[in-house]
Amino acid sequence: MNLIQVFHCHFNSNFFPLFLEHLLSDSISASTGSILLGISFVAPHLNNLYFLTLCQRNGVYQVIKWLFLLKLGLGLVMLLAGADHIYLLCIFIASNRVFTEGTCKLLKLVISDLVDEDFVVNRRQQAASALLFGMVALLTKPGQTFAPLIGTWLLCVYTGYDIFERQPVKDSVLAPDISSGSGTPPLRLGCFYMLVFVPITCALLQLAAWSRFTLHGKKLQAIKTLRQGTQHGHMIDVKAI
């Protein structure tokens, strides 16, 4: 699940300027595009303060689940609305990046909970935080590599657009349909489909994985209590958890 989130974060980072150029450049000014770009980098850090408050009130599990559902809901709304609703498109592009980056930060809290669980269940003398964080970083590293590769491949397949050559490729999915019918350029439509289908797909996969995550609620509270107890030298049998 963390692999998917890292993939989505780096997908947004790599293709955010491309989305601005081909989806919004004809409808908004350059200054507005710069503002959107600035918001997308600054807002996630400010938004984390609010997310942390929500986590203290409702728990990390629920907040992350809400963010996954929000990602899915916004993607479906944008898909139904279409690429011609410029203001809605601006909001979606900015919010998609903001919420995705915020979720990446919150998942580190989940890893911390896993460190506590490992410490208590395996009766460790010291927490294996470096090991777990390093293992997660290793397993999620491919997401950083595959995000630009898959995005570039999808763009080339569906629109015939090669970002390296900037010349259309003959074998494409959308180009024949668009040239013969609709007035929407194939590159713009391809960017729009990438913009909405990647979050929808990621959200569905993450919700499926997140529903199987059990370290929350009473179980997490028990782990936290036992973790605090071991700090005072009171080891308690936790095999029943």
Side-chain angles (χ1 to χ4, degrees):
M1 184 191 63
N2 210 345
L3 172 64
I4 300 174
Q5 190 63 31
V6 170
F7 169 85
H8 193 195
C9 286
H10 284 80
F11 176 86
N12 286 338
S13 300
N14 283 276
F15 291 97
F16 190 87
L18 187 71
F19 294 149
L20 288 181
E21 178 183 355
H22 294 289
L23 292 175
L24 299 175
S25 61
D26 295 335
S27 304
I28 63 174
S29 62
S31 59
T32 304
S34 300
I35 292 174
L36 279 177
L37 190 61
I39 290 175
S40 69
F41 282 98
V42 176
H45 301 285
L46 300 177
N47 212 26
N48 283 337
L49 299 176
Y50 178 65
F51 285 159
L52 290 176
T53 303
L54 286 179
C55 289
Q56 293 175 352
R57 187 184 310 163
N58 302 289
V60 178
Y61 178 84
Q62 286 296 334
V63 174
I64 293 179
K65 183 179 179 180
W66 292 341
L67 288 174
F68 289 158
L69 291 172
L70 182 61
K71 182 196 299 186
L72 177 61
L74 289 175
L76 292 175
V77 169
M78 194 68 248
L79 178 62
L80 295 175
D84 296 329
H85 293 75
I86 300 302
Y87 292 106
L88 184 60
L89 195 59
C90 290
I91 295 173
F92 178 76
I93 290 177
S95 63
N96 181 40
R97 179 172 169 81
V98 169
F99 292 139
T100 301
E101 293 290 338
T103 307
C104 279
K105 301 297 188 297
L106 291 181
L107 286 175
K108 294 180 180 179
L109 298 179
V110 178
I111 301 174
S112 298
D113 293 337
L114 292 174
V115 171
D116 290 340
E117 183 187 34
D118 174 75
F119 178 84
V120 172
V121 172
N122 295 302
R123 298 175 177 270
R124 298 188 185 277
Q125 296 298 321
Q126 291 183 344
S129 54
L131 175 63
L132 287 178
F133 274 95
M135 182 178 64
V136 170
L138 176 64
L139 294 177
T140 58
K141 200 70 174 179
Q144 302 180 20
T145 303
F146 286 118
L149 293 178
I150 293 177
T152 303
W153 175 75
L154 288 174
L155 194 64
C156 185
V157 168
Y158 282 98
T159 69
Y161 179 79
D162 191 335
I163 62 175
F164 300 106
E165 296 182 0
R166 291 191 173 271
Q167 292 181 356
V169 181
K170 292 182 179 180
D171 297 330
S172 62
V173 175
L174 294 177
D177 297 335
I178 302 302
S179 60
S180 60
S182 172
T184 305
L187 179 56
R188 186 172 190 272
L189 192 60
C191 288
F192 175 74
Y193 284 151
M194 280 180 57
L195 176 67
V196 296
F197 278 123
V198 168
I200 290 174
T201 303
C202 290
L204 289 174
L205 293 174
Q206 288 173 314
L207 284 171
W210 197 236
S211 63
R212 303 180 64 86
F213 186 74
T214 59
L215 187 58
H216 60 90
K218 294 182 179 180
K219 181 177 181 179
L220 178 60
Q221 188 61 39
I223 291 293
K224 293 291 186 183
T225 302
L226 293 170
R227 178 73 167 90
Q228 294 175 357
T230 56
Q231 290 179 346
H232 296 87
H234 301 291
M235 291 298 296
I236 305 174
D237 190 6
V238 294
K239 296 301 182 181
I241 297 180

